[in-house]
Every structure is written in structure tokens, then in C-alpha cells.
Amino acid sequence: MRFLSSIGPAAAEVVILFQLLVQSTQGVSFDPVPPPNLNLDQLGRVALTGDFDSISLYSYRQQTESAFSANGSQALIAQLPNGDFTPAATADAYIKSMCPFVMGNGEFAGVVVGGNFTSLGGIEAQGVAMYDPNTSRITPLPGLLGQVSVVYCDQDTNTVYVGGDFKGADSTNAVAWVGNTGWTNLPFAGFNGPVDSITKAPNGNIIFGGTFTGLGNTTAPQKKDQQIVNIASANISSGSASDRLGFDDPKNIICKTGGQDGPGNTWLLEDETPGFWRADMSFGYQPTKLRIWNTRQDGRGTKTFRFTAFPINGIMNLTYTDPVTNEKTPCDASGARCPLSNNASLQFQDFEFVDRVGMSAFQIDISDWYGDGGGLNGIELFQDDIYAYAVSDLNEPTCANINFGSNSTPTGPWTTAPSRKSESQYLTADLSPEEVQSAKASVVFMPNIRQKGNYSVTVYTPGCLQDDSCSSRGIANVTGIFTEGGAQIPAQQIYQTNNFDKYDQIYSGPVDENSESFRPTVTLTPFTQQGDGITLVAQRVRFANASYTGGLNGLFEFDPSESTTLTDFSKSDFNQAGTNLQQGAIITSLQVAGGITYVAGNFTDADGNFGNIFTVTDGTATPLPNGGLNAPVAALELFDDLLYIGGNFTDTINGSVPGLDNFAAYNTVSQSWVALGAGVRGRVNTIVPLELNVTENQPETCITVNGNFDQLEAFGSSPAISVQGFGVWVPSRQNWLQNLNLNTRTITGQLSSATNITGSSPLLAGTISSQGVPGAQNAVSLTSDPLQLNSLGIKIEPQQVTPNMRKRAVNGQNVTGAVTGLFHRNGDLNVTVVGGHFTATASNGSMIHNLAFINGTGAISGIGDELDDDSVFLALNTQADILYAGGTISGNLDNAAVNGLILYDLAQGNFAFPQPPALGGNDVAVNAITTRPRSTQVYVAGNFDTAGSLGCPSVCMFDRGQWSQPGSGLSGSVAALTWQGNDKLLAGGNISVNGNATTLANYNTRESQWTPLDDAATAVPGPVTALTAANDDASQFWVAGQSTNGSAFLLKYDGSRFQTIGDNGMLGDRTKIQGLSMLSLNDDHDRNDLVPQGMILLVTGSLNLPNFGNASAALFNGTSFAPFILATSGGSSGSLSQLFSEKEVNFESSGGRIAKGLVVLIGLACALGTIFLLVVAGILLERYRRRAAGYQPAPTSYPDKTANMGRIPPEHLFGRLGQQGNTPLL
């Protein structure tokens, strides 16, 4: 159980740590990652598809794929040199304010961070911490209990001023951290209501703004001690109790306020013996008053006692009103012993606590007595704050006869959880999706409000680490009704994913007291727009009374040079300006510009002439032109001469300036209103500056607008733009970034604060992700010289998955975003095709669904509306100029149904006719399409049973207009195909061959026979979802998928056996592999048995890499994985489905082992060349030898040839050749 400790001891430890943090240098350093040296030249054009709205290469070690959070948590955010944003430290709730603390001696101590978080960077920190940007170290600043709304660092006074809705030692809602000293109470001990803004006035004084009416040390509730602490439900014990029957039970004095002695009403000690009475509760509290009824049974009674608080084991200092002198008197300072009177005219005595200290148990130690021994007749404990607990036993006791005691009404499957490290027991409910959507569980809190006035209402949420429910915690919906006849306040969503106990202020304003006709209520239910089942918790609600008579009204000026605080508030222009407003003013923002202080919030002046914003300058409070704004202001931000203003307004008070919807500006020089476009549709909560490269390599300050709006309003020629509470105004262009066709990154999420750090980029706070590739969503191109991602020139928006959408038969494939793609070039025809489940806008402005074409000039087109919008394209291939597109496709073409596959003529830009007969079966899906090498045969694989009337399960071949079944005996769902030469097809998935289950099978086209791959049924632990060749003939290959236990696997088949990669801790449990590709490198890596030296394996999907985190693509060199591409989608990690390229990878040029066929050819060529060279060399040597020996060339002509022929008649020469038995004679 947790309790508020005093500032002193806690701060002492912090100061030691704090001194270690002080740095003489400033700035955030980033470590670049060596590029992977990919060589993509041989592939031609290369692209990647997936489900992402933000993508970038992994270039710095500080980069992560952590997207902006959608669970109510925020982070400190740093901007990398490449423009990407990365979380520097994650909080478990909101970060509301930051400031760099440069101490009086010029040393930079760190960035002070405030909010309602309970941990920062994984370290428990209650609402405030110090962040060192040089080391990323987080130092908690313990001592505050509650939420911090604003921090202001003042170097001149060596002080950080902290405001919010919290308690700390002797201060409430405001406190100071001074240099190396630590927490220091301000002279006025804070305020009686929350502080929302702090600034420094031109005169050097500190101005506080908020919802308060007095100072902490000069005001008190008109009715103190309003709530009775429930002792009746406590575990009651005692020591040295009497053994007299009826007087021995320490519970006798619970809920006894009549003062009557006797058995069952009185508890006594043994005679002449000191002893104790103790109560142990299951919740924490801070008592303000103790009431004791002394016994007078048989002349006995307690004379002196002391009060000890647990678990701190501290003796508490008390004061009381002396019954004789009627003066307020402290108890004995030496032993903190308090006297009890035995005067029969005193019904009871009250003792007030000097210090407000948290406790969960207390003990009354009786040291002296009247008569024969001590004893008591009754006891009650009170506190100022009003609580209503979800666990009924913790509310005010029913035996106390309170007319409208605090209570609650739970409905639904709640169970009581122990307090553990929280402040009290709480209710918890595990809700199914149906119970969430129907809000089956609820708790209605009803406080005991005895005094009408202004209250701050806070909802307490127990931390999730203590009950191990962080992964299942969700969002609570909280509403309230606080005034009789008043409307219910707008519902607020409270994220319950906090690690430790959290405090959310849901309301500040008037609350009516209890009556027979009305009770204020707070109702907690699950937020119904959560798709999953959740764990919902409910603990307690606090009502803190701010209706003190302190002479202030939301503004206070503090002079740091004064050690005491003046109580004559009229001497301050700021104090006076506040009191001139109607009571109940709420000051939300303060800003100083040109010697003028701008004050904004929710208020009107006493005469109703102006509202929500005014200025204080030279001792004068002045309204802005046109009476200010007509509704509350939430945020101010100054840039150049413009004061940017956000809130819930629509115009000035007199309605004379159009275009001011919720976001506007005020020119501090010309003193005039400026419309920013036409504003936004909905409330603006924060305005945060942000530097962006609006023009390449020329960063400029832009203004981010964050809140609960859904549209940037149309103005001039700019149309309205739908958004999700985030807009970026570009001052230099006088337009929204979303309207400008600029080559800059797209940012999604929200920002809550920013602060400048000297010598470094600004530090941001919020939940944002940035798109590293301008205009790239769900599909990007990849180049290697230099290595970078680029837009494909098409903006793809993923379609939402509908409840009835058919899923892919083999797990592991996206059903949203871009799933697949191809490049097709044939003569002058140059088309890029992207398929999946998405929408896009064609060049002619029409809407494209699920299949898009980008021609060589960049023109974008799609198919008609003949196919159903919920179709998903999962596989693409071409034969000649005909596109084969498969997936979960349905529709009608030329009055014929199509299912699973369509043919599209890329040259004609229209569907091909006739279409193949439709595939049939349950949940038809085409997952892979391949063309047989040197053939017109197209093989289609997936989950189907028939092709037209032909039985053709799992794999079917289409050629010359008709289907054919390749072999027989194959069944199941095929996810991937690859050719092993010209005649052998490898199929992977969740399949069977002749009834034998396997994951991989071969088809021999010559023999028309399917055979399961040896050992695949046992070596591959689950269905195959991705497959790629590891050498030129795919006799070696890689496979990936999901094991039957849900984990991812990755294996290599080396031609004889499988080698497992994923079982050695290289891949995390949440990994889902969707694509595999072998790529070439410029530089070889170290030799190993898995990946050739000049190649690397690209793994795409949704990957979890131990010691790194999430990545959408990683490179595997045979020994380790390296993050390659990081992507996000819709506030969470994104995914990449596959890489596609214009040409196939050339394994010969990879630098690894050359394929066997090529080895033979090269060897033959070398042999023939060698023989030729030897023959030529031999001829040349022989001619040289003959010439050296004196040989002469034979004559080539005979002048007397004819004469010589005449000397020998022919018949003499050949006449005897035909005679038998005789040898020819010459």
C-alpha cells in the first residue's frame, strides 16, 4: 500500500542523484548505423508493399518502430538527423509540461517533465521527473502525490516552479524545486485549487494561473473534517485489554457516539497497566481530526495517550482545545502525549493533526489513566477530502447515522482485488467484447457533499503492474452530474494502462450539496468503442473543496525575493485582475510577449463585457479587441508576432471576425485578430511548435494543433480535410501542411508539449509517428545508390477489415493495405501494378479499390466497379500482357461470376474476355501465381476445390483458355510456389498429398505427379506462408511460417536437410513472417553455411527482434538479424508483406557458390579453349623447328608439268590396275 511521504527524506536521496546529472555540455547524440551495402542494380526497379502509413530505413541506433500510443500513454520524443521521430523515454500516461532547467551557475541539470504519469522510461515516477538528454537517464523526483500540469524553469532564481493538482508535505498544488536543494515549500504553501499555468511577468515576478480562490496557508474549507474515515470495516485489535466480560472487546467502541458506559459499550485495559487500541484498514487516508469519547466506567478513564501512524511508524503531533482555558494547545512536545479529561460534562474531545500524513493503520497508546485503569467509550477519525470508494466497505460507515454517507453502486461481474501496492482495495472485472460494447459493468460513485461550492474531482486508477493486468487493461468512460438540474458533463476516456496508481482530474467547478432530491454522482463504465475484451478497474473518486474564502480568483503574483507573502492582494495588478472577474474563473494559459502578459481561460469580467482572454500591462488589465473570445481558451503559443490561440470558441464576443473556429491568432503588434484558414471542427487542447523541412533542407517552425477535432475547415480554394485531432499549420504558406503538395514527411498522432534545449534539437512530448518517405503509404520503391525509400507516386489508404471479410486460408498475409505488386515491361508498355485491400485516387479523380496501375508517365488508374469492394488481391503475375490477379475476389464480369482470379489486359486497359471459369469451394483464395519457365502455362495456387466444373484442388494450371489439373492427390491450402528448374514445381502451405499431411510438396510436370518433400512433415513445424529460392535452381530454399504453437519459424533447406533459424532466440514470440527474398551485396560478409558471402536474406512481415524490438524488415547474413526497415500503421507497428522487382536475382553474381550447371558449362569452355591454345602453340613451334633445320618450302608451280605428263602415257600408268592377282606397278 502506498502513502504520501514527507518531502524532506525523499528529496535528500533525489538531490544526490540530481547532482550526478548536472552536465556541462548539452545536446542529444545519435549513433548512425552502417548501411547494409545492398546491390539492387541487377533487379531493375524494386518496391515493397505492406500495411503502413509511416516508413523509414533503420539509420540510427536510437530509431525504433514504436508508433504513437493509442492507450493513453505518451513519450518524450527526439527528432533524428534524418527527420524521423523516435521515443526518448516512454511514460505510462500524459506528459503535460516540460522545461530545461539551467541552474543559476549556468549548469544544465536536465529537462523537468511533468504530467499525470506514474512511470517514465520504465522507472516509477509520480507525476514529475528529470530527464537527462545526454545520457537518457531518468531521475524521479519523489514527494508529490497527484498530477503535475505545469513546470516553469527560472534560471534567475535557480528554481523550478511546479503546479498541478497534488499534495506534497505542507504544500498543495504548487511547490518549488530549488537548485541542488530539492523540493522546497513556497512561502504561501500552494493554493486551495489546481494550478494550470505558470509564467514570469516582465517585472520578474512569477504568475500562477488556475482554479483557486486562496493560498494554501491562509485558507481552509468553510466546513472542515467533512468525511468520517471508516473504522468499522477495519481489523481491530488491542493490547493488555481487561478480561472483564463485556469490556474486553476493542470493537465495543466502534460507532458508539452516545458516550454511555457499560458492557458492550466500553473497552477497558487491565488494572494499573498501559496498553493500546489499534485499527488496521485496507485503504489509505490522511486524517485531519481525531475524536475520542473517554470512559468513566467505575471511575476509570484514560489520562494520557499518543497516536502512532502505520506503516510509517510515526508518532503524530496533535493539538486540542484545552477545556479549562478554552485555548488551542499542542500536545506534549517531548512525547507527543495528549491529555484526556475525565470531566463528565465533556461528551468527547477533538484533536487536530498538525501534519497531514498518509496512513492505513493507527494505534492509540495509553500511558496513564484515572482510577484503576484506562479505557475508551468511542472513537472517530475525520478527513477533509471527500472520497467515494468502489468497494462499499471502505465508504463512510452506515452505523454512523449519516444521512447521505458516501457510497457506491457497482453493477456487473466485479470482484474485489487486494490493495497490494495501491492505496486501497478496488474492483476489477474481466469483460468480454460483448460486455464492453454493451457497457455491462458500471460503478456509480456518490460522495457525501455537505457544502455547496467549487470542487476538483479526481478519479483514481490503481496501477496495472501489481495485478499483472497491463496487457488487458483498456479504457474507462467517465461521466458525472454535479449540480441539481445541471447537465451531465461530457464523457471522458481514462486509459487504465498506467503502471502505478494514477490520478485523473475529470472536473473542476461547482458542485451542489446532498439533498433529498439530488446527489452528485460519477459513473464509470467501459468505453464501448473498444473491439477487444478488457480488464476494467474501479477504485475511488475524490472531491476536493476549492471554495475557500481566500481573496483570489484564479490569478496570483508571487515575488521570489520576498520570504513572506503579502495578504493584501489588492497591491498586485494580477491579483486584482483576477478578483475583477466573475467568481469561479479558470485560468488555463499565460503567455508573455513584448512586455505584455496574456491571460486566457474560462471566465468573464464582472460586468460581462469581455471574456476568456485579456492582457495585463503596466498595471492595467485590458480586454482584447471585440471583447475577446466567445468560449473558453485552452492553449496559447507565441511565434514571431503572432499569438496562436486554441480552445472551444467560434468567434469574438461580438461576433465580428469570421474564421476563428477553435484555432486562431492574435497579432501582438497590430493588435488585431487573424483567421488561420477557417479553423478546425472541434476543441483544440494544445498548440505545440515543430520544426519541419517544408522546403528540402530548409527547416522552419510550424504550429501543430492538437485536440478533439475531426476536420480542418475549408477556406478559399482549400477543401475541408478529415483528420484525427491533429493538424500542422505552416506560417510561411498560410495554410495547413495537409493542403500543401510538398515533398515533406507526414506526421500523425498528437503533441502535448515541447521545449528547446541549447545546442540540440527541441524535445517533444506526445504520441506521434512520422512518415520518412513523403507521400508513401502501403507501397514504396527501394533504390541502392544511394540506399533509400521513395514514393511510388500513389497514395494508398488501407480499407478497414469488415466482420464478414473472408480471411486468407493460410495465416500470415495482410488483409489490409498493399499486399502484392509487380513491374511489367513489354516493348513500350511499362506498368506498375499494386494489389491488396485499399482505396486510392486515380489521376482522373475517381476512386480505386484494391488494384491499381501506374503507367510509365505516372498516371494512376484502376479497374471498374465490377468487383466487390471487400475483395483482396493477394497474388499477381503476367503472361504476355495479360495480368493474372488472384486473392479473395468476387464479383461479376460480363454477366459471369468470378471467384478467386481475374484476368486483365494491361495493353488494352480492360478486363480480358473471356475470363477463366470461376474457382469454387469454401473460402476461396488464390495465394500464389507463377508462370512455368519457357511456357505459356500459368499455375494458380491457394484454397479452392474446383475450377469451373473441373475438380482441381489447391493448384490448377491455366493455358490456352482452359483449366487443367496438374497431377492428383494434392489437397489443402497452398501459400507459395517456386520453380526448381523448368519441370519441377515446389509448393508450400498447409497441404496433404494422397492423404498424408505435409507443408511442402513437389510437382513433376513430366510425370504429372505430386510427392511430399522428404522430412517436411516433421521438420517444418507449421504451415508455410513464405518461400524463396536460395540458389539458381531452387534446390536449396528458405521457408517461413507460423508454428502450431503460434511462434514464427524460419528454415533453410540445403538440398538434403532443414536447418532451423528461429528456434535459437533470434526471433521474438510476436514475429509474423510474410515474405522472403534473397538480395545481392556490394561487399561480402563473413563466410557461413547458410547465406552465401555476397548475398543476404531479406525477411519482411511484422518482426520482433530480441534486444531491439519491432521491425517490418530485417536482413539475415547467416549469423544474425539486423533491422532494415521500420514502419508504423494507425498508431501501432506496421508490417511489410513482400518485395517485388522487375528482374529476378542473379545468383551467379552474388559472390557465393556458382550453380552446378554453370560450373559444367564454364569447365567445358575452359577445356576447349585450352586445347585450342595448345594446338596453335604446337603448330607454331613445329614451323620454327623446320625453319631452323634448313627446310625450304616446296614449289607451288611446275612450268614443265604438261611436258612431263606427255612422257608417260596414261595407259602405262593405270593399265594394269584391273588385272587380278598382280600388284599394281608404278
Side-chain angles (χ1 to χ4, degrees), residues 691-712:
E691 287 209 349
L692 291 176
N693 285 332
V694 175
T695 304
E696 189 173 357
N697 298 323
Q698 294 183 10
E700 64 179 83
T701 300
C702 300
I703 306 298
T704 70
V705 186
N706 313 266
N708 304 107
F709 51 89
D710 60 4
Q711 181 173 285
L712 308 178

Side-chain angles (χ1 to χ4, degrees), residues 711-780:
Q711 181 173 285
L712 308 178
E713 300 285 23
F715 69 99
S717 60
S718 299
I721 299 177
S722 295
V723 293
Q724 294 181 340
F726 183 79
V728 180
W729 181 259
V730 183
S732 65
R733 306 295 182 94
Q734 288 297 293
N735 208 329
W736 297 103
L737 179 64
Q738 289 89 334
N739 275 330
L740 302 175
N741 186 22
L742 299 176
N743 186 30
T744 187
R745 65 189 58 245
T746 300
I747 304 171
T748 56
Q750 289 201 347
L751 292 173
S752 60
S753 182
T755 191
N756 291 316
I757 304 173
T758 303
S760 179
S761 59
L763 185 67
L764 307 171
T767 54
I768 65 169
S769 64
S770 63
Q771 184 163 301
V773 182
Q777 287 181 281
N778 302 285
V780 291

Side-chain angles (χ1 to χ4, degrees), residues 465-700:
L465 289 180
Q466 60 183 343
D467 59 10
D468 196 27
S469 64
C470 294
S471 61
S472 59
R473 288 280 188 95
I475 308 172
N477 195 70
V478 180
T479 61
I481 300 176
F482 300 113
T483 57
E484 188 168 7
Q488 177 176 280
I489 65 168
Q492 298 188 44
Q493 285 73 54
I494 295 179
Y495 292 85
Q496 298 193 326
T497 51
N498 44 291
N499 291 336
F500 306 97
D501 284 10
K502 185 181 69 164
Y503 317 89
D504 288 284
Q505 181 183 324
I506 64 165
Y507 176 77
S508 182
V511 177
D512 286 346
E513 61 185 317
N514 299 324
S515 67
E516 295 291 344
S517 59
F518 174 75
R519 292 202 67 172
T521 60
V522 172
T523 302
L524 183 148
T525 62
F527 182 54
T528 57
Q529 297 179 29
Q530 301 172 87
D532 300 326
I534 64 165
T535 297
L536 188 69
V537 294
Q539 187 179 53
R540 59 176 176 162
V541 176
R542 184 192 75 179
F543 284 68
N545 192 340
S547 296
Y548 310 162
T549 55
L552 297 176
N553 190 25
L555 276 174
F556 177 69
E557 181 179 5
F558 167 61
D559 186 350
S561 64
E562 298 289 341
S563 58
T564 60
T565 302
L566 298 176
T567 57
D568 185 0
F569 298 143
S570 63
K571 295 183 178 180
S572 164
D573 299 328
F574 288 93
N575 299 346
Q576 191 64 41
T579 57
N580 288 338
L581 303 175
Q582 290 187 4
Q583 282 300 307
I586 301 174
I587 308 301
T588 58
S589 191
L590 299 166
Q591 188 69 246
V592 176
I596 300 173
T597 303
Y598 292 82
V599 181
N602 184 5
F603 53 79
T604 59
D605 73 316
D607 299 325
N609 295 324
F610 69 87
N612 304 307
I613 188 167
F614 66 92
T615 64
V616 177
T617 178
D618 297 330
T620 303
T622 306
L624 265 63
N626 309 106
L629 295 168
N630 63 0
V633 172
L636 300 177
E637 182 65 36
L638 182 68
F639 176 65
D640 290 340
D641 295 332
L642 290 184
L643 180 67
Y644 292 88
I645 306 170
N648 201 33
F649 47 82
T650 57
D651 206 334
T652 58
I653 288 285
N654 62 18
S656 59
V657 183
L660 304 185
D661 284 4
N662 306 301
F663 178 55
Y666 180 76
N667 192 308
T668 59
V669 176
S670 66
Q671 299 184 19
S672 60
W673 292 104
V674 179
L676 304 175
V680 299
R681 188 172 69 184
R683 177 184 170 88
V684 171
N685 296 326
T686 61
I687 301 174
V688 180
L690 176 67
E691 287 209 349
L692 291 176
N693 285 332
V694 175
T695 304
E696 189 173 357
N697 298 323
Q698 294 183 10
E700 64 179 83

Side-chain angles (χ1 to χ4, degrees), residues 748-837:
T748 56
Q750 289 201 347
L751 292 173
S752 60
S753 182
T755 191
N756 291 316
I757 304 173
T758 303
S760 179
S761 59
L763 185 67
L764 307 171
T767 54
I768 65 169
S769 64
S770 63
Q771 184 163 301
V773 182
Q777 287 181 281
N778 302 285
V780 291
S781 66
L782 176 66
T783 58
S784 59
D785 189 19
L787 185 64
Q788 63 183 23
L789 298 168
N790 303 286
S791 171
L792 280 179
I794 180 173
K795 184 177 181 181
I796 294 175
E797 297 285 351
Q799 291 200 59
Q800 296 299 316
V801 179
T802 57
N804 62 348
M805 180 172 291
R806 295 156 296 173
K807 301 292 183 179
R808 187 179 181 190
V810 177
N811 292 329
Q813 184 68 63
N814 287 353
V815 292
T816 62
V819 178
T820 184
L822 64 80
F823 296 106
H824 179 74
R825 185 189 292 270
N826 186 11
D828 294 333
L829 183 62
N830 181 6
V831 181
T832 302
V833 186
V834 179
H837 187 60

Side-chain angles (χ1 to χ4, degrees), residues 261-287:
D261 288 308
N265 291 325
T266 302
W267 168 77
L268 297 177
L269 288 173
E270 293 181 10
D271 291 352
E272 305 294 333
T273 303
F276 69 86
W277 186 97
R278 176 166 173 150
D280 288 84
M281 288 79 148
S282 56
F283 59 95
Y285 50 90
Q286 292 184 357

Side-chain angles (χ1 to χ4, degrees), residues 54-405:
S54 172
I55 189 168
S56 61
L57 295 172
Y58 177 60
S59 304
Y60 294 88
R61 298 193 188 280
Q62 289 77 15
Q63 272 181 275
T64 70
E65 199 177 75
S66 300
F68 70 84
S69 170
N71 67 354
S73 62
Q74 294 185 336
L76 299 177
I77 302 168
Q79 192 166 15
L80 298 169
N82 65 357
D84 285 348
F85 296 95
T86 185
T90 301
D92 64 348
Y94 295 119
I95 297 172
K96 295 179 175 292
S97 182
M98 300 185 296
C99 65
F101 185 25
V102 179
M103 296 194 296
N105 60 6
E107 292 181 329
F108 176 63
V111 176
V112 182
V113 184
N116 74 334
F117 51 82
T118 67
S119 70
L120 182 64
I123 297 175
E124 183 175 2
Q126 187 62 64
V128 63
M130 189 81 71
Y131 169 71
D132 182 354
N134 300 289
T135 64
S136 298
R137 178 184 296 172
I138 303 294
T139 302
L141 306 181
L144 305 185
L145 187 62
Q147 72 177 33
V148 171
S149 300
V150 58
V151 293
Y152 184 85
C153 297
D154 183 30
Q155 182 178 0
D156 294 338
T157 58
N158 199 30
T159 300
V160 181
Y161 296 95
V162 180
D165 185 6
F166 57 78
K167 297 177 182 177
D170 295 329
S171 291
T172 57
N173 304 320
V175 72
W177 179 283
V178 178
N180 291 329
T181 304
W183 291 120
T184 302
N185 289 314
L186 294 167
F188 50 89
F191 301 93
N192 65 357
V195 173
D196 296 313
S197 186
I198 303 173
T199 194
K200 189 173 186 178
N203 62 4
N205 290 346
I206 303 300
I207 311 301
F208 294 85
T211 311
F212 50 80
T213 60
L215 303 178
N217 61 0
T218 61
T219 58
Q222 295 174 5
K223 294 183 180 179
K224 287 176 57 66
D225 317 316
Q226 292 190 67
Q227 187 160 49
I228 298 177
V229 178
N230 192 336
I231 302 176
S233 62
N235 179 28
I236 306 299
S237 59
S238 63
S240 302
S242 172
D243 57 4
R244 291 175 58 182
L245 186 63
F247 296 94
D248 57 343
D249 189 352
K251 295 180 181 178
N252 286 349
I253 65 175
I254 300 298
C255 288
K256 300 296 174 61
T257 58
Q260 296 180 353
D261 288 308
N265 291 325
T266 302
W267 168 77
L268 297 177
L269 288 173
E270 293 181 10
D271 291 352
E272 305 294 333
T273 303
F276 69 86
W277 186 97
R278 176 166 173 150
D280 288 84
M281 288 79 148
S282 56
F283 59 95
Y285 50 90
Q286 292 184 357
T288 55
K289 184 174 71 175
L290 170 69
R291 177 170 290 176
I292 294 181
W293 284 261
N294 204 353
T295 183
R296 297 171 182 84
Q297 178 73 35
D298 302 329
R300 298 169 181 262
T302 296
K303 181 179 290 185
T304 59
F305 74 94
R306 70 182 180 189
F307 185 102
T308 305
F310 296 96
I312 64 172
N313 196 28
I315 299 172
M316 304 303 296
N317 293 317
L318 304 175
T319 62
Y320 68 100
T321 300
D322 190 302
V324 177
T325 64
N326 204 31
E327 293 181 356
K328 188 174 183 178
T329 306
C331 293
D332 177 25
S334 60
R337 299 189 183 277
C338 296
L340 267 181
S341 173
N342 66 347
N343 187 335
S345 63
L346 284 177
Q347 185 180 7
F348 56 79
Q349 279 186 267
D350 287 340
F351 297 84
E352 294 184 357
F353 289 82
V354 175
D355 302 308
R356 298 187 62 175
V357 174
M359 62 191 73
S360 65
F362 69 91
Q363 182 170 298
I364 303 294
D365 293 291
I366 299 174
S367 54
D368 200 1
W369 47 88
Y370 298 103
D372 293 332
L376 297 173
N377 256 17
I379 186 169
E380 281 186 338
L381 206 59
F382 298 83
Q383 62 185 8
D384 279 346
D385 289 340
I386 301 165
Y387 290 93
Y389 291 87
V391 178
S392 297
D393 289 344
L394 309 185
N395 286 308
E396 290 181 299
T398 56
C399 61
N401 297 320
I402 303 172
N403 289 334
F404 305 103

Side-chain angles (χ1 to χ4, degrees), residues 1 282-283 417-426 466 539:
M1 193 175 294
S282 56
F283 59 95
S419 59
R420 296 185 180 94
K421 295 182 179 181
S422 187
E423 295 187 24
S424 73
Q425 294 176 329
Y426 55 93
Q466 60 183 343
Q539 187 179 53

Side-chain angles (χ1 to χ4, degrees), residues 1168-1182:
L1168 292 173
T1170 302
I1171 292 171
F1172 174 76
L1173 291 174
L1174 289 173
V1175 170
V1176 171
I1179 292 171
L1180 293 174
L1181 286 172
E1182 179 62 18

